[in-house]
Amino acid sequence: MTELVGLADVQAARELLAGVTRTTPLEPSRPLSAALGGPTWLKCENVQRAGSYKVRGAYVRISRLSPEERERGVVAASAGNHAQGVALAAGLVGAHATVFMPVNAPLPKVAATKGYGAQVELVGNTVDESLVAAQTFAERTGAVFIHPFDHRDVIAGQGTVALEILEQCPDVKTIVTGVGGGGLISGLAVVAKALRPDVRVIGVQAASAAAFPPSLKAGEPVRLPFFSTIADGIAVGRPGELTFTHVRKLVDEIVTVTEEDISRALLMLLERGKQVVEPAGAVGVAALLAGAVEVQAPVVAVLSGGNIDPLLMLRVIEHGLAAAGRYLRVTVRCTDRPGQLASLLSEIAEHRANVVDVVHQRANPHLRLGEVEVALSVETRGVEHSDTLISALRASGYQVVFAGEG
């Protein structure tokens, strides 16, 4: 029977991390507090060293290696955050690190990992494939494999986040966090259930990469046949054996959120919270905004990481605006006569909407003779404003077609 990590293990990990990691701030969130009807806080691990909580577990694991093990070096696999945590931790203890990352890993995360001194190898399309490559490398070279989540030292290190939460918000009733392989939520649950058994610990996964729900139903870790999500930091196809045991015994609930939910959360955090957060770090907030779970306040949502690719941020912002009804992509068909485009843009301007870009074409074979097609991207103030604009355009005789319509 698998022995669970204990409170004493987490407390010992905290001693090791003294002077290495920072105590991250707990910031109030007015939008979430208003939405949930009670105090809601954000645990900002997005401003931790290396940009996420991952350095906690990585340092605890690597710092406990023997001199002989450090001499052989360490190897890890990650989409980015664990990679940076391992690279930083290895550098702090003087061990060489080799990190396997998926070929599509965000370039800023690859560059940051190299910047901390690690040798990066791009292998596989998913973290699971990179894990296999890393384990093979460990067997061939003798390097010590540093698992991203399924190790007692790693879970103990991540659990130090909960020690800080309970000190910063002693009356917390609910802790919500994203879940990939399960290391963070396992550590959070160990501490919460030991010190405050009444606190509910809730995990959130991206619906298109949720391995825990079927695993919990089956009573054992189950591998997903396929998974894909913008939240690359929690895109894990199978829970770990150790983390699965912790989640099954200690975590109160696992829920899922859509890609649209994640986009809305990122946009809210950026606009209202002034927080730069990666998709995986925002899924807890996404669940709260989407009403995916019932919670009792005070609530703490963990922002687990802030290492977002700027290009992805641009796409996510646009997607979030669209999901919130503030960004329209429509095609307008109208007669091809002089001044028609100017009239169309003038009508949009009269409704106080902002045109971002325009594509004007006559070559579409689906158009009738004398007809032109204008593809528009328009910023609005929300769903109601968008609906008003569309209704006005149609009332003026324009044929408005949305993406996916004929």
Side-chain angles (χ1 to χ4, degrees), residues 53 176-185 188 202-205 234 280-285 302-304:
Y53 71 94
V176 184
T177 188
V179 178
L184 175 59
I185 197 169
L188 292 175
I202 299 171
V204 185
Q205 294 201 287
I234 55 171
V283 294
V285 171
V302 180
L303 306 182
S304 59

Side-chain angles (χ1 to χ4, degrees), residues 211-244:
F212 266 100
S215 297
L216 292 169
K217 184 176 181 180
E220 62 182 3
V222 172
R223 183 174 299 280
L224 296 176
F226 174 79
F227 54 95
S228 176
T229 174
I230 60 171
D232 61 279
I234 55 171
V236 178
R238 182 182 184 275
E241 297 289 341
L242 185 58
T243 55
F244 174 79

Side-chain angles (χ1 to χ4, degrees), residues 10 56 154-164 183-184 186-191:
V10 181
R56 296 173 183 263
V154 173
I155 292 173
Q158 319 307 28
T160 60
V161 175
L163 291 177
E164 294 176 14
L184 175 59
S186 294
L188 292 175
V190 165
V191 173

Side-chain angles (χ1 to χ4, degrees), residues 241-274:
E241 297 289 341
L242 185 58
T243 55
F244 174 79
T245 301
H246 282 75
V247 170
R248 183 176 58 178
K249 293 185 177 181
L250 300 176
V251 173
D252 295 285
E253 189 176 3
I254 299 287
V255 299
T256 62
V257 291
T258 67
E259 303 296 283
E260 288 72 21
D261 294 334
I262 299 171
S263 294
R264 290 191 192 98
L266 285 167
L267 186 62
M268 187 279 285
L269 286 166
L270 187 63
E271 276 193 312
R272 303 292 303 279
K274 316 308 176 190

Side-chain angles (χ1 to χ4, degrees), residues 62 70-76 82-91 93-100 113-114 116-121 137 143-144 146:
I62 294 173
R70 294 184 190 183
E71 183 67 25
R72 298 202 304 267
V74 299
V75 61
H82 180 60
Q84 292 173 71
V86 167
L88 174 57
V93 303
H96 176 72
T98 302
V99 179
F100 287 80
T113 303
K114 291 180 179 179
Y116 286 120
Q119 177 181 335
V120 175
E121 301 289 343
F137 179 88
V144 180
I146 308 299

Side-chain angles (χ1 to χ4, degrees), residues 332-334 340 343-344 347 392-400:
V332 178
R333 293 177 182 175
C334 52
Q340 184 64 65
S343 296
L344 171 62
E347 180 149 359
L393 291 176
R394 286 173 171 162
S396 296
Y398 295 107
Q399 183 182 355
V400 181

Side-chain angles (χ1 to χ4, degrees), residues 23-98:
T23 298
T24 53
L26 192 72
E27 298 288 347
S29 173
R30 289 185 179 180
L32 286 173
S33 296
L36 300 177
T40 305
W41 304 81
L42 304 174
K43 178 60 172 170
C44 300
E45 284 295 294
N46 55 313
V47 297
Q48 182 57 265
R49 293 188 69 178
S52 84
Y53 71 94
K54 285 287 191 176
V55 67
R56 296 173 183 263
Y59 185 82
V60 172
R61 174 79 172 97
I62 294 173
S63 68
R64 286 175 171 168
L65 297 178
S66 68
E68 293 77 17
E69 289 174 321
R70 294 184 190 183
E71 183 67 25
R72 298 202 304 267
V74 299
V75 61
S78 166
N81 286 343
H82 180 60
Q84 292 173 71
V86 167
L88 174 57
L92 291 173
V93 303
H96 176 72
T98 302

